[in-house]
Every structure is written in C-alpha cells, then in structure tokens.
Amino acid sequence: MAENEGERILAGKNPEAVFRFFEEICAVPHGSYHTKALSDRLVAFAQARGLACRQDGANNVVIRKEAAPGYENAPTVMLQGHIDMVAETAPDCGKDMLTEGLDLFIDGDCIGARGTTLGADNGIAVAMMLALLDGKEFAHPALECVFTADEEVGMLGAKALDTSDLKSGILINLDSEDEKTFTVGCAGSAQVSCTFRGDREPFGKEVLKLTVGGLRGGHSGEQIHEGKANANLVMGRILYKIAESAPIRLIGITGGTKTNAIARECTALVAAEDAEAVRASVSEIAGKIKNEFRLPDPDLYVNVLPCASGTLPFDKKTTDGIVGFLYTVPNGVQTMSADVPGLVQTSLSLGIIREEDGGVMLSTMIRSGINSQRDDLIGKIRCLAHTFGACTEVSSITGAWEYRSESALRRAVSDTYRAEYGEEPLFTAIHAGVECGVFSEKIADLDCISFGPDLIGIHTPDERLPISSTARTWHFLLRLLERLK
C-alpha cells in the first residue's frame, strides 16, 4: 500500500495504523469483479516489506508473517477477510465506482462515504490484517493472512483458492458485523435448477393473466423463519386449485428475481375454457391464502385479468408437471438446530421461476448447517423433478461450517473476552454463508471463529463504521493473538 500520507480524513483516529490502511483501501476502486487493482496493491505491500506472498488468477492474495519471539512453537493462525465490496450509489450520486475512490467523512463516532457504500464490509478486515503485517510490536503466532476476492457474489475467491500450502489449523475470519457476537457456524448451500420442456398446442377460449404480489420478501436464509409468503409457492397453490375445477393450460410463468431472496411477485399466463370458473376458483383460494398470511404479508394480493398472448399453451402433460411440482416442492424451514437454540438448521426457498428457451426453469436454494441434510434435500428435489418430467442441474454448492462441540479457539475467545470485559461472550451460528464454510471443507479439522466491529447499513449508501467499536475490536484481536501461544 502507498506510504504517502497526503491529507487524510481519518488522521488522528485510533487505532491509527488500522484507519490509515482503511483510508488507502477506500481510495482504490474495488467492487466485486473489479478487485485486480487492490489485489496488486497487496502484493506490492508484501514485497516492500519482504513478506512471503502469493497471488492467484482469482485475485486472491496470501501474505505470511513469521511468529513473534516466544511464539515460534504456537500453531499457525489464518486471518481472513475479503477485498471486494458491494459498490452501490445513492440515486443523486454521480460517482463512477469503477474508476473513482470513495469520499470519506466523519459524523460523530461514525465513518461514512458520501453518496456511496463504504465497503467497511470487508475493508476494515483488510486494514486490520495489513496493520498486523506492518507492525513489529505485536505478539502473535505465525500468520497466514488470506485476502479473498468476490465474496459478495458467491464467495468465488475462497472457492478458487488453492489451500494446499496453508499450514493453519486456526482461522479467524473478520467479516462479522456485531462487535459483541462471535459466529461459530454457518449454513452451506446449493442451488437446484429444474427445467420443464414440452409440446405446445391450441387450447381454450380466453387467456388470463394471474398475478401474486404485494409481498414483503426478504433474505431466504436470515429471514426464512419469519413465515413470509413466497409468491412462487402461492402461485403454485392457486394454479393447482384452479386445475381441480376448471381445465387450464399454462402459457408462461415468471416469479422472483434472486435465488437468495424470498420471491415477492409471480405472474402466470393461462389459457382457459371457462374463464368465469377460473375467476371463481381464484377468488376462493386467494381469500384463504390472504387470511393465512395476514400478519407477515398484510398487502398480499391476487389479480386475474384478461390478456392477449401470441404463444401457444403447453400441452396437458407439461402443464400438469409444472403445476404439480410447484404445488408439492418443499419450501421454508425444514429442521431447527439441536446445538444452537432458535437457529434454523435446514431450509430451502424457490427463489426464481423464469421462461427459458421455450421452457420453464425453477431455481431453488437450499441452506443447511449440516452437509448431509443439504445433500438429502438435493436428492429429494431431483427425485420430485424427475417424477414430474423435469431435468435438473445442481450448482453453487458451498459447504456448511458445522458447529464444533469442542473448540480450543472458542475457549481462547471466551477467556480473552472475560479478561477484557468481565462477562461471557455471545456465540451464535447463522443461517447464511460465511467463507469459513468454504475453508472448513478445504482444510480438515479447521477451528474457526468470525467476529468484527459493528457495521451499520451495509450494502447501502447509509453504511457506517463506528470508530469506537473498531478500536475495541482491534484491541480484542491483539489480546486474542497474544493468548494463542
């Protein structure tokens, strides 16, 4: 990283070294898929200090530092964070985040960036690792600082990283967002895409457009337990109910926009022999569904409108297959954790339905804190899809970071926290992904923990990094490393 100070917004803020590096990082554009410049800066930083370093084609960088005196026999520790940020701007901001750095400001105890995301997720982890690598006064075991790329778009860097030369048996991930909470497990995931294709033929007297909307949606991992309606599943239920009393053929269907989000809207075009019977059937089932979801989704609505279409409907076999799959596919919370009270262990969500090459593709994301349960759900969906005539593709498989009933690292964190704060730390697991899950699959018996300073409004232009929380987290990290002897 650059050595020249210039005029720094964060000058004089403590920890000084951490904020100096953070400000330098903010000056380099580093949105997801555009991390080469920052990756190269990390390499130059290591070379200038004579530190062992390697960079790969995915823009990952590994920098090593020898143990401090007295720590030569301590286990090697991996510190890890990601170098990409979610690059978002406010509607009235003209900044080009591909070519321009951030405009930092301080508001009381918080750091922000004018009109843009701040990228403290995960730039503050990068800054802490650089400060450790740069300083000569710290007590610590041998360090392997792993800077991964493109975490925000599927942990691509972590998945691509060759870990065969890493010696660490301990991983401290610095990508959590609540200073007082330590993450000790996370869900793995997989995406299962089921594609229906079939013949099309004339049918019916009228085309109707069915719309399910007004839903709140949300993150399909962190909010799956809230009982919100999934528009795709609601549409499947409506179509199945219609087909019981009024013959229809499906022309097309689309719903949801992201695999990791609970679908908020779904639209289907159907050809009907008896449009009035369809409307009556929809009215009956829609009332029941709206009552069921009156608390989590009070604005849920179902519309039926006449429509024109130049596309022939699918035949009966294909229509029945798509509707049958939509009606019966499992969705939502499947099991709760036996280790962590209140934590969802396994869930799935049908996030996207889209028309593709004349067919219909339905994409479900599975999450589980136990890999065997993830794999069991993959098998069930493939079996169900095969039964209804679809072909399947499984992709984006990520391993779970399974909770360890015995963890020397967790004990060290507890001891350090009690010594510093006089109370017990809060340990939790999350029903979402953390790079610890990827590394746990690659490195046998890896003892992991994740923590970090408080972050506010991540992934939005309202993102803020509290200065005081950063200072406390930095101090805690140093004390923890001292203890790992």
Side-chain angles (χ1 to χ4, degrees):
M1 306 297 289
E3 299 294 340
N4 124 50
E5 294 282 324
E7 189 168 329
R8 294 200 297 112
I9 300 297
L10 306 183
K13 300 300 178 184
N14 288 314
E16 196 280 334
V18 172
F19 285 126
R20 172 164 53 87
F21 284 118
F22 181 68
E23 190 159 1
E24 291 182 16
I25 291 163
C26 291
V28 182
H30 57 284
S32 298
Y33 300 120
H34 300 281
T35 56
K36 183 68 164 74
L38 183 52
S39 179
D40 288 345
R41 293 284 192 102
L42 296 174
V43 173
F45 165 92
Q47 291 173 341
R49 289 155 180 79
L51 298 171
C53 169
R54 71 171 168 91
Q55 180 186 40
D56 65 20
N59 294 330
N60 299 307
V61 176
V62 179
I63 303 176
R64 293 178 168 85
K65 186 179 182 183
E66 293 181 358
Y71 287 79
E72 293 85 355
N73 296 321
T76 301
V77 174
M78 184 197 310
L79 298 174
Q80 188 265 322
H82 61 87
I83 63 174
D84 64 313
M85 66 176 284
V86 173
E88 292 288 335
T89 60
D92 58 349
C93 177
K95 181 175 289 292
D96 181 355
M97 295 191 75
L98 289 178
T99 61
E100 299 178 73
L102 307 180
D103 298 324
L104 301 184
F105 66 85
I106 296 174
D107 181 11
D109 185 48
C110 286
I111 301 167
R114 288 187 179 83
T116 69
T117 41
L118 175 63
D121 173 19
N122 196 217
I124 196 60
V126 177
M128 287 184 180
M129 288 192 282
L130 291 175
L132 267 168
L133 290 167
D134 192 49
K136 296 180 172 57
E137 70 275 26
F138 305 123
H140 58 76
L143 300 178
E144 293 178 324
C145 290
V146 178
F147 304 85
T148 52
D150 298 332
E151 184 270 351
E152 300 288 5
V153 288
M155 305 187 195
L156 304 183
K159 291 175 182 176
L161 182 70
D162 179 1
T163 61
S164 60
D165 65 338
L166 298 182
K167 300 176 181 178
S168 300
I170 293 171
L171 166 57
I172 299 173
N173 168 280
L174 297 169
D175 192 19
S176 289
E177 297 139 19
D178 181 348
E179 178 194 338
K180 295 182 178 180
T181 302
F182 295 82
T183 303
V184 292
C186 77
S189 62
Q191 184 175 322
V192 185
S193 299
C194 305
T195 302
F196 288 84
R197 303 189 189 283
D199 296 330
R200 292 179 180 267
E201 59 188 22
F203 180 85
K205 301 173 182 176
E206 190 171 350
V207 175
L208 299 172
K209 179 180 180 181
L210 282 61
T211 303
V212 174
L215 306 184
R216 291 177 172 175
H219 192 281
S220 65
E222 296 171 0
Q223 295 176 278
I224 196 68
H225 63 286
E226 295 178 4
K228 296 178 179 180
N230 180 316
N232 294 334
L233 274 293
V234 172
M235 181 63 78
R237 185 173 168 185
I238 291 170
L239 291 172
Y240 187 82
K241 179 64 178 178
I242 294 170
E244 284 186 321
S245 56
I248 58 169
R249 298 291 186 270
L250 188 65
I251 299 172
I253 181 169
T254 59
T257 58
K258 296 180 179 178
T259 55
N260 64 353
I262 300 168
R264 294 185 294 112
E265 185 168 306
C266 184
T267 300
L269 293 185
V270 298
E273 287 281 9
D274 186 344
E276 287 309 311
V278 170
R279 291 187 179 93
S281 183
V282 169
S283 177
E284 179 188 352
I285 189 64
K288 295 176 181 177
I289 293 171
K290 289 170 71 172
N291 178 60
E292 291 171 17
F293 292 101
R294 65 188 183 280
L295 296 180
D297 281 294
D299 299 323
L300 186 157
Y301 67 82
V302 181
N303 287 341
V304 185
L305 297 171
C307 181
S309 174
T311 304
L312 286 174
F314 284 111
D315 60 14
K316 184 178 188 305
K317 179 182 177 182
T318 308
T319 297
D320 289 349
I322 296 171
V323 172
F325 179 86
L326 264 177
Y327 185 61
T328 57
V329 66
N331 195 80
V333 176
Q334 303 296 297
T335 59
M336 300 296 291
S337 172
D339 294 307
V340 182
L343 175 71
V344 177
Q345 180 166 285
T346 303
S347 75
L348 70 171
S349 176
L350 178 55
I352 294 177
I353 304 174
R354 67 169 177 257
E355 296 168 33
E356 196 172 83
D357 299 328
V360 174
M361 189 279 292
L362 305 93
S363 181
T364 293
M365 175 169 276
I366 299 169
R367 301 176 191 271
S368 181
I370 296 181
N371 291 331
S372 59
Q373 289 192 355
R374 174 203 64 196
D375 295 342
D376 183 51
L377 275 178
I378 291 173
K380 286 178 179 177
I381 293 178
R382 294 179 73 171
C383 179
L384 190 67
H386 176 75
T387 301
F388 282 108
C391 59
T392 59
E393 179 182 353
V394 181
S395 61
S396 302
I397 297 179
T398 300
W401 168 18
E402 297 190 10
Y403 176 82
R404 294 168 63 114
S405 55
E406 289 296 325
S407 166
L409 178 57
R410 193 166 67 244
R411 287 197 300 273
V413 167
S414 292
D415 293 343
T416 306
Y417 198 88
R418 280 194 301 271
E420 294 299 317
Y421 303 113
E423 58 186 30
E424 293 295 327
L426 174 63
F427 294 111
T428 190
I430 60 173
H431 197 57
V434 179
E435 285 173 297
C436 297
V438 177
F439 285 102
S440 292
E441 276 207 319
K442 293 184 174 216
I443 302 172
D445 202 34
L446 188 64
D447 199 356
C448 311
I449 203 156
S450 177
F451 62 89
D454 291 338
L455 291 179
I456 303 163
I458 64 167
H459 301 179
T460 76
D462 296 323
E463 184 180 358
R464 300 292 183 266
L465 171 66
I467 295 169
S468 57
S469 179
T470 304
R472 289 190 297 268
T473 302
W474 169 247
H475 177 78
F476 180 84
L477 174 61
L478 295 181
R479 298 292 83 80
L480 176 61
L481 289 173
E482 285 178 6
R483 194 175 287 271
L484 296 176
K485 199 165 186 178

